[in-house]
Amino acid sequence: MCGIVGYIGKRQASPILLDGLRRLEYRGYDSAGLALSNGRGIEVLRRAGRIENLRKLVAETNPRGEAGISHTRWATHGAPTDSNAHPHRDQSGRLAVVHNGVIENYQQLRDWLKTEDHKFSSETDTEVLAHLIGYHYDQSEEQDPVQRLVGAVQAALPRVKGTYGIAVMHEDAPSVIVGARLGSPLVVGLGADEHFLASDVSAIVAHTKDVVYLNDYDVVTITRDGFDVKHLEGGEARVTVSRVDFTEDDAEKGDFPHYMLKEIHEQPNSIRNAMRGRLSRDEATAILGGLQMTPQELRQVDRIILSACGTACHAGMVGEYLIESLARIPTEVEIASEFRYRNVPTTKDTLQFVISQSGETIDTLAALREAKRKGIKCLGIVNNVASTIARETDGGIYIHAGPEIGVAATKSFTSQVAVMTLLSLLLGRIHHLSSTDGLELIDELEAIPDKITDILKQAAHIKQIAEKYAHVDGMLFMGRLINYPVALEGALKMKEISYIYASGHPSAELKHGVIALVKPELPSVFIAPHDAVFEKNISNIEEVKARKGPVIAVATEGHPHIEKVADDVIYIPRCPSALSPLLTVIPLQLLSYYIAVARGCDVDKPRNLAKSVTVE
Ligand code: AGP
């Protein structure tokens, strides 16, 4: 998704803007630009392609200015070209805008503006927005340029249908930057004699940890000395200063070649963080105060819906198995983009969770809002603190995975699964789960991080297997029961970073059509831990081998029998079946990572993808 960084203060703006955009690269983009108030007017520099192209242009032109706005664009309307890159100017050329989101009625607005003799130089919806704000600025009779600019933004935005996170500058008001948001995140950074605006706090955490997360319909004015937030329709807005709980190093890749590999290796600690302070041996249960529900209220729950997209949805599918097996509460996973348009039957005691790493995914946010329209209590399982989803739910559980920069979700998946295991333990213990069962689960959970460390020590072995299969055009992922969602997740990882066509299936589905695909050039990955269906998986592997299909197996150590049937085996430590996804997914993350590297893919910024899908 697009990224926004704004700065106004005591320092030259361009280095801060460029560094901020670099920290947002992981979100996916295809062009970049900035605008600076240079004392003589507003200077705009834009380039298609990587931020490095913009950096070179800045170095050549050496623009000056202590106030500026910048943007990385993920093309929605118009190809990734210099002229479509943001910032965009208005008709007068004296106002500049950067914008995240989609203006759905941009064509109608463009047609109307043309009747007012406006001329456009790009194909973008954002240029229309710039002209609309500029139109209201020029029509205004307000003498004070700052109030005139704020008033123009407040007049233009109600005419917009769609989503926006914007930053606006005008030559008449060089001492301010105006921002506004609806459906696309925007955060204000508070500094000493300087203030920031960004679409993601990781862009500015190097400069300040004190931030204000804006709400929908907020309009903010930032200056060197301060900021002021108003509601779009006037009046003061609710402002809360938050303290960022991670450092700029957390959002850097350190000695790792890619964020994704760093985040895969962070999982022993990220899972410890997900469980920290949430396990009670005395009560043999989990403590999840963020649910803001009493045991009595939780005991009333007679149905659970889990809504999410992508990897978060796969985590929800694992959660479904866990909640139903440990707490015996009927649970179903609804893909968020489906849920928001379906009419799912619910009961008065239905409880819904939305699961989202970013907390900004538009379909998951829409599912949340639809659930609330229907009076369903809706909680979040979210990583990004103070994200839109986190703030709109009735409570929830933060997964505390730290910033996940790689587009491919890894540690957020295992932390989401860990949190849902805690939720299942809590729900089980308020129904029928015994304290001995609860304590046993706690012991096994606390052993998981070290077991993941043991798997990560096999990275070289997994890399060898990856290089053996890096040339293939397709891959099947097979798993049963609680490891079927892991097969889906392994297939998604492979698709999104190595661009190999991959699909996940319940192992028994092989004979219902999938096996027609099996051939020597098509490897099958079987997730076959030593559980109740291990022998069934072995039979499926033999079916594939009988048709000369190569097989990679993820299996439990101490059961070498599988080496007789599989071509390659990656062993995981023993663990209860209920916790096996926390281990079986690790080899699949590494397998897809090393295959993508072997294929020369851009692992952290895969083509066509964005880290947070905030547009439909
Ligand atoms: C997973 O690797 C992808 N990046 C994508 O499927 C992602 O899980 C999905 O877009 C949901 O994102 P969220 O967890 O931030 O809502």
Side-chain angles (χ1 to χ4, degrees), residues 434-465:
S434 72
S435 58
T436 45
D437 288 345
L439 275 176
E440 189 177 311
L441 188 60
I442 289 172
D443 288 341
E444 292 289 355
L445 267 171
E446 290 183 334
I448 288 293
D450 289 344
K451 290 181 177 178
I452 291 177
T453 300
D454 291 344
I455 298 170
L456 294 172
K457 287 173 183 167
Q458 298 184 60
H461 169 55
I462 296 168
K463 184 169 184 285
Q464 271 182 338
I465 295 172

Side-chain angles (χ1 to χ4, degrees), residues 260 307-314 355-365 381-384 389 404 406-410 412-413 416 489 492-493 496-497 606 609-613:
M260 182 180 177
S307 297
C309 300
T311 287
C313 193
H314 299 153
I355 308 165
S356 176
Q357 187 285 130
S358 63
E360 300 297 348
T361 300
I362 192 91
D363 284 319
T364 309
L365 178 60
I381 294 177
V382 175
N383 190 36
N384 189 349
I389 288 175
E404 184 175 71
V407 167
T410 49
S412 63
F413 174 79
Q416 287 160 354
E489 175 57 14
L492 176 59
K493 288 285 95 51
E496 65 176 327
I497 63 168
L609 293 181
K611 182 59 181 174
S612 177
V613 183

Side-chain angles (χ1 to χ4, degrees), residues 19-35:
D19 180 59
L21 292 184
R22 180 184 63 78
R23 295 170 188 274
L24 296 180
E25 277 198 288
Y26 71 93
R27 296 163 64 95
Y29 71 100
D30 41 47
S31 60
L34 58 83

